């Protein structure tokens, strides 16, 4: 079994993973009180569980050296509509990799995808030992969830019976975003984006899901990133056909300007140049004395994008498919009208005026 965490990968499970994941789950059933299930399910039943989960929620497999070593998924917390932003989370990690931090990264990936679904409350139902030195259970799961930011919110005494002894069960809770807005009337339809709608997992863009899994693999939490500013630039290029500006297309219909998150240790200018290169294959020179702040259009998002002026330096357009749909040089006089968001259009007009004033 490889133990090098650099060989770790995340992907979405399929029903065909049932036998491999059962190899992780079966010892928990047979030898522990981690799960209150008595009998190991068949591969067919386990495959049905995976498929049923994927109708609504993510089910993520962690592989090391190509072999599944852990999995995590979400399930319905309660069937009533008002609970649509709430889930129960579960994770199982093979015993021989539990000291490598696989579970922490896997949970981060799960939480990232759940946040993209506009799921804000996470709950974990955890069995706790009946006594000190219980041969079938430790407090490891409680401690793991505490480190992930979960808080103890309830305890049910003696509600589970396994291995001829009674076990308590606790509920732990974690919030991630989404609670800064409330509906004035719970019975009314949401106004604007006050409460973003729940998005079933199959409706998420697969490219976005892959990106969120990669973020989790790197330990990047999307909840934290929602308050992390971004940087970009309006990139101009003089051509024989006139002045052009670099624009990108996202989700097939959203036209904007290249930008991205500021990584730790980067200046905003460095982040803008890196993101433009990664997204479009273009290297640029940042021009001084222009910086325009564009607040996020999402009411649950407290970050801003800071745009600079830039000029084309080198490179050929090559849109990064996991990030954007397309990149193009657009006539400068058309860019404001093409921008999908009013804030971007206003920013661009200010950038164009500032650029032309330099000539």
């Amino acid at each position: 079994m490889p133990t090098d965490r650099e060989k770790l990968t995340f992907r979405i499970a399929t029903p065909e993973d049932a036998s491999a994941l059962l190899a992780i789950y079966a010892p928990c059933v047979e030898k522990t009180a981690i799960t209150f299930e008595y009998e190991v399910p068949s591969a067919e039943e386990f495959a049905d569980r995976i498929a049923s989960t994927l109708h609504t929620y993510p089910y993520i497999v962690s592989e090391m050296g190509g072999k599944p070593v852990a999995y995590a998924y979400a399930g319905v917390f309660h069937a009533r509509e008002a609970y649509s932003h709430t889930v129960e989370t579960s994770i199982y990690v093979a015993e021989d990799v539990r000291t490598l931090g696989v579970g922490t990264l896997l949970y981060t990936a799960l939480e990232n995808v759940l946040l993209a679904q506009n799921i804000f409350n996470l709950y974990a139902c955890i069995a706790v030992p009946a006594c000190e030195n219980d041969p079938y259970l430790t407090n490891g799961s409680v401690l793991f969830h505490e480190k992930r930011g979960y808080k103890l919110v309830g305890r049910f005494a003696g509600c589970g019976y396994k291995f001829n002894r009674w076990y308590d069960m606790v509920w732990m809770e974690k919030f991630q975003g989404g609670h800064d807005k409330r509906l004035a009337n719970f019975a009314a339809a949401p106004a604007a984006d006050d409460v973003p709608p729940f998005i079933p997992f199959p409706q998420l863009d697969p490219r976005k899901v892959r990106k969120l899994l990669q973020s989790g693999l790197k330990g990047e939490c999307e909840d934290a990133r929602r308050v992390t500013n971004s940087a970009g630039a309006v990139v101009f290029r003089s051509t024989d056909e006139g002045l052009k500006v670099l624009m990108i297309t996202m989700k097939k219909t959203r036209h904007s300007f290249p930008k991205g998150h500021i990584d730790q240790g980067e200046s905003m200018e460095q982040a803008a140049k890196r993101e433009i290169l990664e997204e479009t294959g273009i290297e640029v020179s940042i021009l001084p004395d222009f910086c325009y702040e564009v607040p996020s259009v999402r009411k649950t998002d407290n970050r801003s994008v800071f745009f600079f002026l830039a000029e084309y330096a080198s490179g050929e357009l090559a849109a990064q498919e996991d990030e954007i749909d397309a990149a193009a040089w657009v006539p400068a006089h058309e860019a404001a009208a093409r921008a999908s968001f009013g804030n971007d259009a206003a920013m661009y007009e200010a950038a164009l005026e500032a650029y032309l004033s330099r000539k």
Side-chain angles (χ1 to χ4, degrees):
M1 162 72 67
T3 57
D4 186 354
R5 207 170 78 177
E6 291 183 358
K7 297 181 175 131
L8 197 66
T9 59
F10 294 159
R11 62 174 174 82
I12 298 301
T14 71
E16 287 70 33
D17 291 311
S19 295
L21 300 189
L22 265 177
I24 299 170
Y25 182 63
C28 298
V29 177
E30 297 171 330
K31 301 177 182 179
T32 80
I34 291 173
T35 171
F36 283 172
E37 196 159 20
Y38 280 13
E39 301 293 334
V40 177
S42 67
E44 293 75 17
E45 180 182 349
F46 207 80
D48 287 343
R49 294 182 186 183
I50 295 172
S52 178
T53 296
L54 289 170
H55 284 311
T56 312
Y57 301 112
Y59 202 123
I60 305 172
V61 176
S62 172
E63 293 182 322
M64 190 174 286
K67 180 177 180 178
V69 295
Y71 63 95
Y73 60 92
V76 63
F77 178 74
H78 198 288
R80 304 294 189 205
E81 293 91 339
Y83 293 100
S84 62
H85 297 281
T86 300
V87 294
E88 180 182 348
T89 58
S90 298
I91 185 169
Y92 291 92
V93 180
E95 187 173 3
D96 50 357
V97 299
R98 288 179 186 167
T99 61
L100 301 181
V102 174
T104 295
L105 296 178
L106 185 56
Y107 240 26
T108 300
L110 179 66
E111 291 168 3
N112 286 350
V113 178
L114 292 172
L115 189 57
Q117 293 183 258
N118 294 320
I119 292 172
F120 308 126
N121 284 38
L122 312 177
Y123 290 92
C125 179
I126 303 170
V128 292
C131 60
E132 289 187 15
N133 301 315
D134 188 294
Y136 305 106
L137 192 62
T138 71
N139 275 314
S141 186
V142 171
L143 297 175
F144 168 78
H145 283 82
E146 284 180 347
K147 290 180 180 178
R148 288 292 314 152
Y150 285 71
K151 306 294 183 184
L152 182 67
V153 292
R155 187 181 188 107
F156 296 83
C159 63
Y161 188 77
K162 191 173 182 180
F163 302 123
N164 299 314
R165 60 185 66 207
W166 292 100
Y167 287 95
D168 291 358
M169 180 269 289
V170 299
W171 280 99
M172 299 188 75
E173 173 186 69
K174 180 177 180 178
F175 294 155
Q176 53 172 12
H179 289 90
D180 56 335
K181 300 295 179 185
R182 298 288 192 273
L183 283 178
N185 179 354
F186 73 89
D193 294 324
D194 281 348
V195 177
F198 164 72
I199 304 171
F201 177 70
Q203 294 182 20
L204 292 180
D205 185 338
R207 294 177 303 175
K208 181 179 181 67
V209 172
R210 289 195 296 270
K211 183 178 178 181
L212 293 171
L213 295 184
Q214 283 300 113
S215 294
L217 192 60
K218 294 185 287 186
E220 296 173 351
C221 175
E222 288 298 306
D223 190 25
R225 286 164 69 94
R226 286 199 174 192
V227 295
T228 301
N229 290 327
S230 297
V234 177
V235 183
F236 289 104
R237 182 180 187 181
S238 295
T239 72
D240 292 340
E241 299 173 345
L243 186 64
K244 300 286 183 75
V245 63
L246 182 60
M247 295 193 74
I248 61 172
T249 302
M250 300 171 292
K251 298 184 178 180
K252 302 188 185 302
T253 59
R254 297 183 181 180
H255 307 296
S256 184
F257 304 90
K259 59 188 178 297
H261 288 99
I262 303 169
D263 288 344
Q264 187 173 5
E266 279 187 321
S267 68
M268 291 193 293
E269 293 89 342
Q270 288 171 334
K273 293 178 68 172
R274 174 184 54 77
E275 286 289 342
I276 293 166
L277 179 61
E278 290 178 357
E279 289 187 351
T280 70
I282 298 299
E283 294 195 40
V284 304
S285 299
I286 300 292
L287 303 178
D289 303 324
F290 182 89
C291 183
Y292 192 108
E293 180 180 1
V294 178
S296 173
V297 296
R298 297 172 181 161
K299 294 187 178 182
T300 57
D301 205 333
N302 297 317
R303 62 188 174 177
S304 293
V305 183
F306 291 86
F307 280 99
F308 297 92
L309 275 183
E311 285 186 326
Y312 168 82
S314 63
E316 297 295 329
L317 282 180
Q320 186 182 34
E321 292 185 356
D322 282 346
E323 295 281 346
I324 61 175
D325 293 310
W329 290 107
V330 175
H333 65 278
E334 297 179 6
R338 289 198 186 192
S340 297
F341 301 104
N343 285 350
D344 282 354
M347 177 279 299
Y348 172 72
E349 289 176 345
L352 178 61
E353 181 180 354
Y355 184 75
L356 294 175
S357 70
R358 296 168 181 265
K359 300 301 178 181

